[in-house]
Amino acid sequence: MAKYLLLKHYRGAPTAPNEAPMETWTQDEFDAHIAYMDDWADRLKKTGEYAGGLALAPEGTFVRYDGEGRPPVTDGPFAETKDLIAGWSIIDVDTYDRALELAAELSAAPGKNGKPIHEWLEIRPLLTEPPTITG
Amino acid sequence: MTQATDETRLRALTPQVLAVLVSRGADFAAAEDATQDALLQALHTWPHDPPRDHKAWLITVAWHKFLDATRADTARRRREDRHDEQPTPGPTTSTDDTLQLYFLCAHPTLTPASAVALTLRAVGGLTTRQIAQAYLVPEATMAQRISRAKRTISDTRLDQPGDVATVLRTLYLVFNEGYSGDIDLAAEAIRLTRQLDTAIDHPEVDGLLALMLLHHARRPARTTPDGNLIPLARQDRARWDTTLITEGIHTLQRALAQDRLGEFQAQAAIAALHADAPTAADTDWRQIVEWYDELAGLTDNPVVRLNRAVAVGEAEGPRAGLAALGELDETLPRYTAVAAYLHERDGEVETAAKLYMEAAEKAPNLAERGHLTREAARLNGVLRGDVDA
C-alpha cells in the first residue's frame, strides 16, 4: 500500500475542460458537486482506501519568525496568490494506477450544467517509513 | 510478568481460539469477531482476575460472544438450538489449525494489504485500532479493509491446502514495514514467523525467519539516537545483537541443509555474510556477489540486480560496479543513490555530490532523504575544502 495526497486547487492548476466560475453555478449544481465528493469519500471508506481529507478556507496569511522576543511577522492575506489549495484527500491504495483511477473519479465531479468539470487534481506520493530490508 | 508480555502471550493464543470456534461450525468472519471481543475482555479482566487456564477461558468467552452475536441476527429458535448444543471447551486444536489460518488470511485472492491486515488481526490478535495506527490510516478505514478481506474469503474452506509463498510474502511485508506507532511490526512479524515455523516444515519459512532475525539483529545500530540512518559500513557492529545473529545463522543452516534453495534463504545468506564480518572491510563481497547471482536466478525483482551492482563495486572496484549498474533501468528506485555511492568510491566527488542531491529528491522516505542530503552536504564540504574526504 502507498499513500497519496490529492490536492484540489482553486487556482494554480491547468484550466479544466469544463471550468466555469463557481459564482455562475446554481445552488443545485453546487450541492450536486459537494454530494459527489462526499460520495467519493464514502465509497473509499468502504473499500478501506480512505486515509483522510479536509477542505481549506481560501484565505491564508504568510507568517514568519522575526527574532527573539519579537512577535511573528505576518504578510497578507493575499487575494491573488497564484496557487490556492481548496482541499486535500489522502488515499491509501495498492498501486499508483489505482491512485490515478480514484483521482480521475474525483475529477469527474459535476459543475455547471451538471457536467463533469474534468478538473485537474494534483497527486503527490507521501513519504513512508524506511523499509527494514533494503538489500 | 509485565503487561507487554502478558499481552503477547494472550495474543499467541488467538489462532488456537479462533480455530476452535471455526471447528465448532462458526463461520470465519463471526468467529474472528468473537475471538477479538474475547481478547479485549481478557485484557480488561485478567489483570485483576486471572483465570487458571487461559486458553479455556478464552474459548468459553469467545464462544459466548459468538452466540450473543448470532442471537442478534438469527431467529430465536435457531439460537436456542445453538445453546443446547454448546460443547465443552477443551484442547481441540492442533498446529494444523493454526497453519490453516495462516493460509486463509494470506489467501491468494486477497490483495497484499488485505492479507497483511487480516493476518495481523486473526493470527496476530492485534486490534483493528492497533493495526490502523501502525499503518497510519483511520480505524474505520482499517475496519472496512478487514471486513472486506473476510468477505473475500468467506467461501474458502479451511481444510484446503494453502499457498506458503503468499503467507511468507505477507509476513515479509509486515516485517519490512518497520517500526511506527505502539506496535513493533518487525517483532510481531518475527513472532508470527516463529509460530508458523513450528507448524510447518519448509525451508523457505526457515529462510524468512533467518532473514528477519539477521536484519533485526542490526536494528540497534541502524539509526542514530535522533533517527538518522547509518549505512551498514558505518554501523557499530558491537551493537549488533549476537544472540539473534547466532539463531539466524543456525536457522539458515537448517534451511540450506534441505537443499531446496529459495529467495528468502538466498537473501538470508547475504545477511549472514554481513553478520559474519567483524568489520566492514572484512566482508566477503565475492561470496555476496555469488549469492546475488543465485538470487537473480530465483526472482526477477530488479532491486536484486541493483544491490548486486553495489556488491560488484565492493568486490571488483567501483568501475566494475558502475558497469553493472549501467546495464539496469535508470528509473529503478535508489538507482541514483547507488550511482552516487559508486562515483564517490571512484573518486568523482563532484559527480557524486550532485547525484546524492538528486537521489535525495527522489527518496521514497524521510530517513533516506535525510541520509542522502547529509551525504551530499559531506561531499560539498570536501569540495569547498572544509574537511578532508
Side-chain angles (χ1 to χ4, degrees):
Chain A
M1 297 293 268
K3 292 193 184 67
Y4 295 91
L5 175 71
L6 300 184
L7 287 174
K8 188 178 164 74
H9 292 253
Y10 281 122
R11 275 195 301 279
T15 306
N18 281 342
E19 193 159 294
M22 238 179 215
E23 56 268 24
T24 67
W25 297 13
T26 66
Q27 192 179 335
D28 286 349
E29 284 163 358
F30 179 76
D31 288 346
H33 180 77
I34 300 296
Y36 183 97
M37 294 194 297
D38 288 347
D39 284 350
W40 178 87
D42 285 345
R43 226 165 345 109
L44 265 62
K45 284 173 192 163
K46 292 202 185 80
T47 58
E49 292 170 298
Y50 185 79
L54 278 175
L56 302 176
E59 206 173 80
T61 304
F62 283 92
V63 57
R64 68 167 174 82
Y65 175 65
D66 198 38
E68 193 58 45
R70 295 165 66 95
V73 184
T74 59
D75 202 358
F78 299 100
E80 294 300 324
T81 47
K82 270 198 306 201
D83 192 7
L84 193 55
I85 307 290
W88 54 271
S89 296
I90 294 176
I91 56 177
D92 191 19
V93 291
D94 279 315
T95 62
Y96 180 63
D97 284 346
R98 176 65 178 158
L100 293 182
E101 184 185 333
L102 291 174
E105 281 177 23
L106 185 59
S107 156
K112 193 166 170 61
N113 302 319
K115 287 193 199 143
I117 306 175
H118 300 270
E119 179 181 9
W120 290 97
L121 296 172
E122 187 181 355
I123 180 165
R124 305 265 301 266
L126 266 65
L127 295 184
T128 60
E129 286 290 308
T132 314
I133 302 172
T134 48
Chain B
M1 193 157 65
T2 67
Q3 198 176 339
T5 36
D6 219 9
E7 188 180 327
T8 308
R9 284 191 191 181
L10 171 65
R11 290 200 285 106
L13 295 169
T14 308
Q16 301 174 39
V17 175
L18 176 51
V20 169
L21 265 61
V22 171
S23 71
R24 288 178 180 179
D27 72 274
F28 174 77
E32 206 283 319
D33 283 337
T35 303
Q36 184 74 215
D37 287 347
L39 289 171
L40 288 173
Q41 188 168 324
L43 282 173
H44 188 68
T45 312
W46 289 9
H48 56 86
D49 186 13
R52 254 182 314 153
D53 183 340
H54 290 185
K55 187 171 150 189
W57 186 97
L58 280 171
I59 291 170
T60 306
V61 172
W63 183 249
H64 280 285
K65 300 267 183 201
F66 165 71
L67 293 173
D68 289 347
T70 311
R71 175 190 298 152
D73 42 49
T74 53
R76 172 179 296 268
R77 188 181 52 79
R78 198 168 150 216
R79 177 194 89 217
E80 283 165 355
D81 288 346
R82 292 248 198 208
H83 269 293
D84 289 344
E85 68 194 35
Q86 180 180 342
T88 50
T92 48
T93 54
S94 65
T95 52
D96 277 358
D97 293 327
T98 302
L99 184 60
Q100 291 305 326
L101 280 180
Y102 276 92
F103 287 146
L104 187 64
C105 294
H107 198 268
T109 53
L110 296 170
T111 63
S114 303
V116 161
L118 192 56
T119 299
L120 286 174
R121 206 177 111 127
V123 188
L126 293 175
T127 64
T128 303
R129 175 189 294 253
Q130 287 172 317
I131 303 167
Q133 281 172 349
Y135 286 91
L136 305 173
V137 295
E139 191 177 346
T141 294
M142 190 52 81
Q144 287 295 342
R145 208 177 278 174
I146 290 167
S147 52
R148 274 172 77 91
K150 287 201 234 172
R151 279 203 297 280
T152 304
I153 55 161
S154 61
D155 293 332
T156 309
R157 289 163 57 95
L158 264 172
D159 56 0
Q160 287 165 347
D163 185 347
V164 179
T166 58
V167 174
L168 295 178
R169 183 188 62 186
T170 303
L171 295 172
Y172 179 88
L173 285 176
V174 174
F175 181 76
N176 222 14
E177 188 70 19
Y179 183 76
S180 61
D182 289 342
I183 294 299
D184 183 345
L185 288 176
E188 183 63 11
I190 289 174
R191 185 180 78 76
L192 293 178
T193 308
R194 275 192 210 280
Q195 189 174 271
L196 176 67
D197 203 30
T198 60
I200 186 173
D201 184 22
H202 190 293
E204 276 292 85
V205 178
D206 282 331
L208 178 61
L209 180 58
L211 177 66
M212 289 177 175
L213 293 170
L214 290 165
H215 276 272
H216 206 53
R218 289 188 215 149
R219 189 158 82 171
R222 278 185 75 214
T223 47
T224 63
D226 36 358
N228 297 334
L229 286 185
I230 305 174
L232 189 57
R234 292 183 215 152
Q235 288 176 14
D236 175 3
R237 293 177 184 226
R239 300 186 63 205
W240 288 359
D241 185 328
T242 48
T243 312
L244 288 178
I245 289 174
T246 306
E247 189 194 348
I249 287 175
H250 284 152
T251 308
L252 174 64
Q253 284 167 340
R254 199 167 63 223
L256 292 175
Q258 296 195 38
D259 210 18
R260 283 158 63 203
L261 189 62
E263 196 183 330
F264 292 122
Q265 293 167 73
Q267 283 194 61
I270 292 164
L273 283 165
H274 286 301
D276 251 356
T279 69
D282 294 318
T283 311
D284 187 346
W285 286 104
R286 285 187 190 283
Q287 252 207 86
I288 290 179
V289 172
E290 283 170 20
W291 275 111
Y292 274 121
D293 288 336
E294 290 272 8
L295 194 51
L298 293 165
T299 165
D300 51 10
N301 185 347
V303 175
V304 169
R305 302 188 60 196
L306 195 65
N307 289 330
R308 184 184 169 278
V310 178
V312 168
E314 301 293 350
E316 298 167 32
R319 293 283 165 88
L322 284 165
L325 186 67
E327 292 167 17
L328 306 181
D329 181 357
E330 285 183 29
T331 62
L332 280 175
R334 301 187 177 85
Y335 179 99
T336 313
V338 170
Y341 176 74
L342 290 170
H343 279 289
E344 185 192 349
R345 300 266 308 182
D346 199 28
E348 299 169 69
V349 177
E350 208 170 327
T351 308
K354 278 193 196 121
L355 287 171
Y356 273 128
M357 212 52 233
E358 209 179 291
E361 280 162 26
K362 295 180 192 166
N365 62 69
L366 212 50
E368 279 177 53
R369 185 168 79 184
H371 170 68
L372 293 164
T373 307
R374 277 189 299 277
E375 294 292 84
R378 178 175 58 81
L379 292 189
N380 284 325
V382 172
L383 288 168
R384 284 192 306 268
D386 297 349
V387 283
D388 294 330

